[in-house]
Amino acid sequence: MFLLSALVLTLIFLAIGTHVSVALGLVAVGLALLSDGVPTTVIAQTAFKSVNSYPLMAIPMFVLAGNLMMKGQIANIMIELVGSVVRAIKGGLALTVLITSVFFAAISGSSVASAAAIGASTVEGLKRESYPIGFSAALVAVGGTLGLMIPPSLLFILIGSIVGMPVDKLFIAGIVPGLMEAVLLMIATVYLAKRNNYGTNVRRPDWRGFGKRLPAATAALSMPALVLGSIYTGFLTPTEVSAFAAAYAALLGLFVYRSITAGKMWSVAKESLLQTTMIFTVVMGGSLVGFMLARMGVSQQLVSYITDMGMSAWQFLLVVNVVLLILGMFLDGVTLVVLTAPLLFPIAGALGIDPIHFAVIMVANVEIATLTPPIGLNLFVMSGVAKIPVHEVARGVLPFFGVRIIGLMLITYIPSISLVLLR
Amino acid sequence: MFLASTVIMLNEAFGRALLNTSYFWAEETVRYLMVWAFFLTVGAAGSAGYHIRTELLVERLGKRWRQLCHFLSSAIGLSFSAILFYASFPQIYRYYTMGMMTESNLDIPLWVLFLAMPIGAVLYFIYYFSCLWRTLKGEDPFAGGTPIKIDF
Amino acid sequence: TELVLTSEVATTHWKTRYMNEFAEQVAKRSKGEVKVKIFTAGQLYNDQDALAALGTGAVHMVWPVSVRIETIEPRTGVINLPFAVSDSMMNNSCFMSGLSGLMSSYVEPRNLRILGFLRTADLMFVLRDREVKRMEDLKGMKIRVTGGRVFLETMRSLQISPVSMAASEMSTALAQGAIDGVFTSPAGWAEMIGITGKYGWYVPGFSLTTYSIVVDKGWFDSLPATHRTAIVDAIADISPRQWQEVKAEDDTLIQKMIDQGAVFHVADDQERARWRSLAQKNTSLFSERYDEVIKQFNELGARCGVHN
Ligand code: NA
Ligand code: NA
C-alpha cells in the first residue's frame, strides 16, 4: 500500500518540476524511514556506492570525448565527404545526414550531442534542397538516437553498472542492432524522398572530390575504428578506452582540425564534468529507490508474481515494450533506465531471457523515448536548432516512428541480432 | 580532479596494453577522484542548470502556482540534502571505528574518502537554499536549465 | 529477530545453497525466533560494502572472501598466506574452532566477530597454450590474479606479471591472448574458461582460499543466549560438511576438464617444497611485522596436532 503512495508521490514530485535526483532520493528516504530494520545511514551508504563504481567512470570520459568531437568543423567535413558520392541519388543529402549520424554515433555516447552537432550544420542545407524543415529536423533527431545503440553508449555503461554486466559485451551487442536500425532508417528516408519529391538536386558522384576530402577526414574516421577495435578485441576495458578516446579527441581538436584552443579545452572539460554530475545524481536517486525496493523484497515478489502468472518470455517482452514506450513518453533516458532496470532484469533472467539481449531491447526503447512527445529530448534539441515548435518536429518524426517500432520488434524477437557478434 | 583521473586512466591503459604492467591502485584512484569531483560539483551543476527536471506542467501554471511549485521543489531538495548530510555520519564513524582501508596499496582510510559525502551534501544544501531564497524573492530559481544541456 | 545476510555471488552459486540451509537451520534451532533474510547477487551490497555496513544496523552478517578482512585488520592476513592452511588442517575440529577464535580476537576490537570459515577453493593456474610442470615454466607470463600482497609478491618473484581484471573479462582476454593464463578455482576453470585454458597447473595448498563468516559483534552480543547458540550451532553443523562437499565437487570439476582433453599437472612433493621456500621468503614481510600472529598460529596447530 505505501508503495503505491510512494509511486504517486514520485509522480507528483516530478510533475511539480522537482529535480529528478532529489525527488527519487526523498521518496527512498521516506520508504527507509517507514521500513523496520533500515537505519537512515543506508541512504548515505547507498548514495556513495552508487557512484563509486569503476564501469561508471567511463561516462565522464566518453562525454568529454563526444563534446570535443562535436566542436568545430568535424561535422561539416564528414558531411562534405559523404555527400560527394551519396548525393548521386534522390534524397541523397538526407542519406548523407544519416550516414554522418552513424559516424557520430560511433564516437559519441549520447544521442543529443550528435543531433545538435549535425543539426547545426545541415538544417540550412536541407532547406535549400526543398526538404521541408519539419522533415529535416526530424531526420537529424532520429539519426541522433543511433548514438545510444552504436557503441560507445552511455546507456549501456549505465545498465552495465546498475545490473552488474560487462560493459564491453554490451557494447559489442549494440553494433549489429544499431547498424540495422540505421539501414531501416535509410530505406525509409529514400522512400519518403521519392514519394514526396524531396532532395531534387541530384548530382553525379564526385569521386575526385571524395578522394580530395578523404585525407582530412581520416583522422576523425579512424577514431570509431580505434574505439570499437580495442573494445572488440578485448585489448582495453571500456573505461580505459574512454580515457583513450578523450585524449584522441583532444589531440584532433588541438592539432589536426584546430577546432579548439587550449583555453576552450578547459571550458569543455568543465561542461563535461557538470554533465557527468547531472547523470550521476540521477543514478544516485535511482539507486536509492532500487535499494529500497530490493530491501523491502518488492523485486523478489515481482519476480515470483510474474513467474507464477505463467507469463511466457515473449508475452513479458511485449508488456515491457509497451510499458517502456509509455513511460518513455514522460521520462528521460537516464531516469527511465535507472528506475526500471533493477526491477526488470531479475524478471527477464527468471524467464530465461539473455540479459545482454534484454539490455539491447531496453536501449532500443530509450532511443524511441527520446523522440516521443511530450518529453523527448531530441525533439527539444531540434526544435531549438531548426527554430520551429516542438510539435512540428514531432510531426516530422511520425513516419520514422513506424520504422523504429519495426526495428524494436525485430530486436525484441530475434535475439541473434544482438548476440551474433558475441558467439 | 576529472582531468587527473583521465590522465591516470590513460596511463593505465597504455601501461596495460603496451608495457604489460598493471597498477593495482589506478582503478581505485580514478574511482575516488571522480567520486570527489562528483560531490564537489553537485551544487555547482545545479546553479549551472544541469539537473534534470520536467517543466511541462509547471510552465503552464499561473505565476502564483508556479512559485508554489518552485517552493516545494526547493524544499524537497533541501530535505534530501539535509538527510544525506545527517545520514553520512554514522557511516563515517563506523569506517573510523572499523579502521577499514582502501583495497589496493593506496592505504587511505575509508572514513577520509567518505567525507566527500557530507561536504557534497552541504554544497547541495546551499544550492537548494539559494533556490528557496530566489523563489521567495519572486524569481524562477530553475530558469535557464535548458534541455539542451541534457546529454542523453 | 531479523538477521540480514547479504552476498555478492549469483543466486545459482553453491554459496547461496549453504546460506539457505543456514537460514533453515537457524529458524529451526531458534524455534522460528530468528529469521534470516538473504539478499544475494549484490542486490543490497557487494561483500566489501556489506562489511563496512556491519555495525550500522543495515546488515548483520556477511560471508566474504577472507582477503577482504585484511582491509580492516591486516593481522587476519595470516590465513591467506601461501601454504597457511590445508584441507586436512581445516577438517580438524580443534584447529577449525581454534582458528575462528584466534581470527575473531583480531577483529573484535573493531566490533566484528568471526564465527567460522567455509572453503572457497584451492586455486590453480590455468594456461592457454603452455604446459607447466615446474615453476620456471611460468616465467614471463601475464596472469590474471586476485589476492593479497604477499601473494602478489610471490607472483612477481616468479617473474610472472600479475594482471588485475574483472572476472567477467578474463575468459575473453584469455581467448584472445591478451593474457597467458589465470589463477583461478576449479569451478572458474570448468565454468568460466573451459577448454580455452587447456593446461592446468596445481600446487596443492599454495592458495587455499576461504570465506569468513563475519557478524556484527554488538548486534550478536545483544541477542539472547538461545539465539546465539542457534546461530553458532548452525555454523558448526554446516562448515565441516561444506568443506568436504566442496572439496569433492572441485575434484569432480577437474576430472571433467581432464575428460574434455585438458592437460593437468600437480606439483609433486619436491616441487611443492620449492614453492614453499619461495613463498616463505615473501611471507617474511608479514612475519616481521606480525611475528606474534605467526607464533599464535603455529601454537594452535601444534596444540591440535596438525600442520601443513
Ligand atoms: Na554511440
Ligand atoms: Na519521450
Side-chain angles (χ1 to χ4, degrees):
Chain A
M1 190 54 225
F2 68 25
L3 272 176
L4 196 69
S5 17
L7 183 69
V8 172
L9 202 61
T10 312
L11 293 178
I12 293 176
F13 282 1
L14 294 182
I16 64 170
T18 308
H19 289 143
V20 172
S21 48
V22 290
L24 296 178
L26 199 65
V27 168
V29 168
L31 290 174
L33 291 176
L34 292 171
S35 319
D36 281 335
V38 182
T40 3
T41 190
V42 298
I43 299 294
Q45 290 162 9
T46 310
F48 194 85
K49 81 185 162 77
S50 68
V51 293
N52 185 18
S53 131
Y54 178 70
L56 219 49
M57 296 311 137
I59 287 187
M61 293 175 235
F62 275 131
V63 168
L64 177 62
N67 285 344
L68 287 171
M69 290 297 279
M70 300 309 152
K71 290 275 179 289
Q73 294 306 303
I74 297 175
N76 272 341
I77 292 171
M78 287 308 301
I79 284 167
E80 280 174 15
L81 176 78
V82 178
S84 48
V85 291
V86 174
R87 293 177 66 175
I89 47 172
K90 202 171 209 180
L93 184 56
L95 267 189
T96 303
V97 169
L98 278 181
I99 293 173
T100 310
S101 300
V102 172
F103 165 79
F104 271 95
I107 52 178
S108 147
S110 73
S111 101
V112 171
S114 42
I118 298 168
S121 47
T122 54
V123 169
E124 272 308 303
L126 284 162
K127 205 172 175 181
R128 277 199 299 275
E129 298 199 6
S130 74
Y131 292 91
I133 185 102
F135 172 84
S136 313
L139 184 74
V140 179
V142 175
T145 64
L146 295 172
L148 297 176
M149 184 65 86
I150 296 174
S153 157
L154 301 189
L155 270 186
F156 278 131
I157 299 172
L158 212 56
I159 294 177
S161 57
I162 291 172
V163 186
M165 269 193 293
V167 175
D168 53 344
K169 292 225 167 76
L170 292 173
F171 275 6
I172 293 167
I175 296 175
V176 177
L179 293 177
M180 183 198 74
E181 287 174 340
V183 170
L184 289 176
L185 288 178
M186 287 176 200
I187 295 171
T189 304
V190 171
Y191 171 77
L192 286 172
K194 275 230 168 86
R195 201 188 63 181
N196 300 327
N197 223 20
Y198 299 156
T200 42
N201 188 0
V202 176
R203 304 175 188 169
R204 297 186 45 202
D206 177 12
W207 287 105
R208 180 124 38 95
F210 183 81
K212 220 168 63 195
R213 288 174 182 125
L214 193 60
T218 308
L221 274 173
S222 54
M223 183 163 162
L226 288 171
V227 167
L228 289 186
S230 49
I231 294 174
Y232 190 69
T233 55
F235 197 59
L236 295 173
T237 67
T239 309
E240 289 165 351
V241 172
S242 69
F244 177 75
Y248 189 77
L251 289 179
L252 284 191
L254 283 173
F255 302 113
V256 180
Y257 298 112
R258 298 183 187 277
S259 50
I260 194 165
T261 59
K264 215 44 185 313
M265 269 286 289
W266 178 252
S267 69
V268 175
K270 207 174 105 185
E271 186 193 348
S272 307
L273 177 60
L274 292 181
Q275 286 173 341
T276 304
T277 300
M278 170 199 85
I279 296 170
F280 279 17
T281 46
V282 179
V283 170
M284 182 171 85
S287 310
L288 288 170
V289 173
F291 180 93
M292 281 316 300
L293 294 181
R295 179 64 182 81
M296 294 164 70
V298 177
S299 327
Q300 214 46 51
Q301 281 164 14
L302 204 61
V303 171
S304 47
Y305 179 73
I306 299 267
T307 43
D308 288 351
M309 249 167 68
M311 198 184 255
S312 66
W314 75 267
Q315 288 169 326
F316 169 71
L317 289 177
L318 191 66
V319 172
V320 165
N321 281 328
V322 172
V323 169
L324 289 181
L325 285 177
I326 295 172
L327 283 177
M329 292 169 71
F330 303 98
L331 298 176
D332 66 280
V334 202
T335 316
L336 186 63
V337 163
V338 160
L339 268 185
T340 59
L343 286 176
L344 294 181
F345 271 89
I347 306 175
L351 293 175
I353 299 163
D354 189 305
I356 291 182
H357 175 213
F358 193 69
V360 175
I361 297 174
M362 225 166 177
V363 170
N365 273 293
V366 175
E367 286 186 283
I368 298 175
T370 57
L371 296 170
T372 50
I375 312 284
L377 296 175
N378 278 18
L379 303 180
F380 292 151
V381 172
M382 287 318 295
S383 134
V385 171
K387 302 190 180 61
I388 51 172
V390 173
H391 64 86
E392 261 181 56
V393 188
R395 196 176 314 140
V397 169
L398 209 58
F400 293 109
F401 202 68
V403 179
R404 292 332 282 271
I405 298 289
I406 294 172
L408 176 63
M409 286 301 132
L410 290 175
I411 288 169
T412 305
Y413 292 111
I414 309 177
S416 52
I417 294 175
S418 312
L419 303 174
V420 63
L421 290 182
L422 290 165
R423 297 254 159 83
Chain B
M1 251 180 259
F2 170 42
L3 292 177
S5 63
T6 308
V7 169
I8 292 172
M9 203 64 252
L10 206 60
N11 184 39
E12 169 74 4
F14 279 113
R16 206 170 66 79
L18 306 176
L19 309 169
N20 291 343
T21 52
S22 178
Y23 308 99
F24 282 73
W25 53 267
E27 184 207 313
E28 233 175 11
T29 314
V30 168
R31 260 193 295 127
Y32 286 113
L33 279 172
M34 266 315 297
V35 167
W36 273 82
F38 165 69
F39 280 110
L40 292 181
T41 54
V42 75
S47 315
Y50 276 88
H51 289 318
I52 300 176
R53 63 188 280 269
T54 303
E55 296 169 319
L56 195 70
L57 196 75
V58 182
E59 68 192 6
R60 287 169 197 211
L61 296 174
K63 166 117 189 167
R64 198 170 259 205
W65 283 102
R66 214 181 319 159
Q67 289 305 98
L68 178 66
C69 287
H70 293 332
F71 179 82
L72 287 174
S73 294
S74 308
I76 290 166
L78 274 177
S79 330
F80 180 67
S81 38
I83 288 167
L84 211 54
F85 181 76
Y86 168 80
S88 60
F89 285 99
Q91 184 61 53
I92 290 170
Y93 179 71
R94 186 59 187 121
Y95 271 131
Y96 181 75
T97 55
M98 190 181 277
M100 192 183 267
M101 309 288 267
T102 51
E103 282 168 72
S104 74
N105 48 3
L106 278 180
D107 280 338
I108 302 173
L110 285 179
W111 70 267
V112 174
L113 294 172
F114 206 86
L115 284 176
M117 173 156 287
I119 294 171
V122 167
L123 296 170
Y124 219 11
F125 189 88
I126 292 173
Y127 163 63
Y128 281 112
F129 190 79
S130 79
C131 290
L132 193 72
W133 184 247
R134 290 176 57 191
T135 306
L136 293 175
K137 281 203 319 196
E139 297 169 21
D140 177 358
F142 304 118
T146 61
I148 307 219
K149 285 186 181 153
I150 294 171
D151 197 47
F152 262 76
Chain C
T1 317
E2 195 173 80
L3 188 165
V4 177
L5 170 61
T6 69
S7 139
E8 64 187 19
V9 299
T11 315
T12 49
H13 192 273
W14 55 256
K15 196 175 166 190
T16 311
R17 202 170 70 223
Y18 289 103
M19 289 190 160
N20 288 331
E21 195 188 320
F22 172 74
E24 281 162 29
Q25 284 212 26
V26 169
K28 207 160 74 192
R29 287 169 193 271
S30 69
K31 302 194 174 57
E33 285 173 9
V34 180
K35 208 169 156 259
V36 180
K37 262 203 160 166
I38 302 169
F39 296 92
T40 54
Q43 277 179 70
L44 290 196
Y45 296 100
N46 64 32
D47 288 350
Q48 190 72 35
D49 291 334
L51 270 179
L54 284 177
T56 64
V59 181
H60 306 115
M61 185 185 267
V62 205
W63 301 2
V65 187
S66 300
V67 180
R68 298 214 171 272
I69 306 171
E70 285 186 49
T71 59
I72 297 170
E73 173 45 84
R75 286 185 293 171
T76 59
V78 66
I79 193 178
N80 307 317
L81 293 175
F83 301 104
V85 293
S86 69
D87 285 316
S88 68
M89 286 161 84
M90 297 302 267
N91 280 325
N92 177 303
S93 63
C94 158
F95 183 78
M96 179 69 115
S97 64
L99 187 61
S100 304
L102 183 64
M103 293 279 283
S104 194
S105 72
Y106 301 142
V107 295
E108 275 167 25
R110 313 293 179 89
N111 207 14
L112 298 172
R113 200 185 272 283
I114 294 176
L115 297 178
F117 301 98
L118 299 176
R119 187 182 197 271
T120 309
D122 201 359
L123 303 184
M124 50 187 271
F125 292 90
V126 172
L127 298 316
R128 188 170 76 131
D129 46 18
R130 277 201 267 178
E131 190 168 1
V132 175
K133 292 178 174 169
R134 45 208 278 280
M135 54 169 64
E136 286 78 7
D137 297 340
L138 286 163
K139 207 161 144 183
M141 287 199 199
K142 265 189 284 180
I143 297 194
R144 186 260 180 188
V145 297
T146 53
R149 290 175 208 182
V150 174
F151 183 75
L152 286 180
E153 282 309 309
T154 312
M155 289 296 203
R156 289 207 179 91
S157 51
L158 285 165
Q159 285 176 284
I160 290 172
S161 35
V163 177
S164 141
M165 175 182 289
S168 54
E169 287 162 17
M170 70 184 185
S171 169
T172 332
L174 187 68
Q176 283 153 347
I179 49 175
D180 301 303
V182 295
F183 190 63
T184 185
S185 62
W189 191 18
E191 281 151 24
M192 295 182 69
I193 295 164
I195 202 68
T196 312
K198 191 175 176 214
Y199 300 96
W201 167 243
Y202 175 43
V203 184
F206 176 52
S207 186
L208 178 54
T209 54
T210 53
Y211 292 122
S212 293
I213 299 179
V214 192
V215 70
D216 174 350
K217 179 173 176 285
W219 173 84
F220 185 76
D221 291 350
S222 72
L223 292 178
T226 51
H227 292 178
R228 272 181 280 151
T229 317
I231 294 170
V232 169
D233 289 354
I235 292 168
D237 179 71
I238 292 170
S239 159
R241 193 156 40 79
Q242 183 272 354
W243 204 274
Q244 290 179 4
E245 286 168 1
V246 169
K247 167 93 174 81
E249 273 171 39
D250 278 359
D251 292 343
T252 317
L253 287 172
I254 291 173
Q255 191 54 50
K256 190 179 128 197
M257 291 308 294
I258 295 173
D259 294 343
Q260 284 178 26
V263 180
F264 180 69
H265 293 295
V266 183
D268 57 21
D269 287 346
Q270 197 191 342
E271 177 71 15
R272 201 161 165 263
R274 294 177 63 213
W275 282 76
R276 285 192 74 128
S277 65
L278 180 76
Q280 202 79 52
K281 255 183 256 157
N282 293 306
T283 25
S284 61
L285 194 71
F286 183 90
S287 40
E288 271 164 31
R289 223 185 274 174
Y290 308 110
D291 189 34
E292 88 288 354
V293 176
I294 301 270
K295 221 182 270 166
Q296 286 167 327
F297 185 85
N298 290 337
E299 273 167 18
L300 175 68
R303 180 148 38 93
C304 299
V306 290
H307 65 89
N308 192 343

